[in-house]
Amino acid sequence: MDNIKKLARLLTENKDTLVLTGAGVSTESGIPDFRSPDTGLWSQMDPMELLSRSALSRNPAEFWRRSEPIFRMMATAQPNSGHYALAQLEKKGFIKGIITQNIDSLHQQAGSNSVLEVHGHLRTARCSQCGAERQMSPLLDQVASGDNPPRCNCGGIFRPNVVLFGDPLPEAFHLASQRARVCDLFLVIGSSLEVAPVCWLAPAASKLAIINLGETQCDEIASVLVRGTAGEVLTDLVEVIG
Ligand SMILES: [Zn+2]
């Protein structure tokens, strides 16, 4: 609790606080962190291979067949207390925005307004030929019914609007990186900071705080470190801040 009080003080003192969230924020919504070794879903497959540009171009039907249940699970998940706490902190002016590695849209569903999705999102897919956009949900139904791979009217194959391994860095990442360098306080939640390029953001910030269940790459340079799940810690934090 002492560390949560320290963190509450930091949030009160600093006017421009930016939050970075990783998979740890969504595990309490039932979405497994694919980097932890013993989560059932991801231990059966290598996400680097599954969600890669090369897998999509090599065999698009296989890419969609394997991705469909995972995308559907993420698309139907509900925000948890951590997402709601962050939305409240934004409304009360304690945080200015969220950079997220998550593609599940749960921050927006919980009511956060300023969200930069550096790995994209699952709300839509786009044609890899002409760029036309479609809602994801009917495309997933199409794939599940065997009409696979999903194609655009132009004949091009749809791809999810997420950053696949092998894709170039999205514009949102460059914006995030500029924001991280000038903010007063950078608060990392539920990320072990192991995944490039997001792990480069934390050391660039002038002051760093971390909420994470396990160790992170930047523990040593953090002003405050709180060990715990995002939902529990953020709920306590909102209570302390009042
Ligand atoms: Zn097209």
Side-chain angles (χ1 to χ4, degrees):
M1 204 61 183
D2 276 359
N3 283 352
I4 293 178
K5 282 183 184 150
K6 265 189 219 164
L7 183 55
R9 199 178 314 133
L10 273 186
L11 283 174
T12 314
E13 287 167 0
N14 290 280
K15 295 292 163 239
D16 187 15
T17 296
L18 193 60
V19 172
L20 170 71
T21 63
V25 168
S26 290
T27 48
E28 288 160 280
S29 291
I31 299 173
D33 176 2
F34 66 76
R35 299 190 64 82
S36 56
D38 40 48
T39 45
L41 184 69
W42 294 104
S43 59
Q44 295 156 25
M45 56 183 96
D46 178 1
M48 294 280 279
E49 166 53 26
L50 174 66
L51 291 177
S52 70
R53 210 175 150 109
S54 60
L56 178 64
S57 59
R58 200 169 50 236
N59 189 340
E62 173 78 356
F63 171 92
W64 277 105
R65 190 186 62 74
R66 295 176 69 188
S67 306
E68 184 264 333
I70 299 162
F71 290 172
R72 201 180 285 276
M73 179 263 296
M74 289 187 181
T76 52
Q78 296 297 313
N80 64 59
S81 54
H83 295 107
Y84 288 114
L86 285 171
Q88 264 191 287
L89 289 172
E90 185 192 34
K91 268 188 199 85
K92 292 178 175 176
F94 290 105
I95 63 174
K96 286 289 188 294
I98 297 173
I99 298 167
T100 188
Q101 295 172 265
N102 301 334
I103 56 176
D104 52 33
S105 307
L106 293 181
H107 287 302
Q108 292 94 328
Q109 279 188 50
S112 289
N113 288 312
S114 174
V115 183
L116 261 181
E117 298 166 306
V118 291
H119 289 170
H121 61 81
L122 286 175
R123 295 182 294 278
T124 54
R126 68 177 186 271
C127 171
S128 40
Q129 214 159 273
C130 74
E133 298 219 337
R134 287 292 155 77
Q135 292 299 309
M136 182 62 98
S137 158
L139 279 192
L140 293 179
D141 291 344
Q142 204 177 315
V143 170
S145 74
D147 184 2
N148 185 24
R151 281 181 191 277
C152 175
N153 293 336
C154 81
I157 288 164
F158 280 107
R159 53 156 293 165
N161 261 331
V162 299
V163 179
L164 299 172
F165 295 99
D167 274 339
L169 287 181
E171 180 57 25
F173 177 78
H174 298 291
L175 285 172
S177 147
Q178 286 165 11
R179 284 286 286 118
R181 274 196 298 268
V182 297
C183 70
D184 299 331
L185 175 65
F186 195 66
L187 170 59
V188 175
I189 309 170
S191 171
S192 53
L193 294 170
E194 276 165 10
V195 186
V198 163
C199 62
W200 305 331
L201 298 177
S206 62
K207 200 179 292 166
L208 178 68
I210 297 174
I211 301 171
N212 199 49
L213 202 51
E215 284 181 14
T216 86
Q217 296 294 307
C218 293
D219 284 359
E220 283 173 19
I221 56 168
S223 302
V224 178
L225 186 60
V226 187
R227 290 266 181 258
T229 65
E232 285 169 7
V233 174
L234 288 169
T235 303
D236 288 346
L237 182 66
V238 168
E239 206 167 289
V240 170
I241 281 185

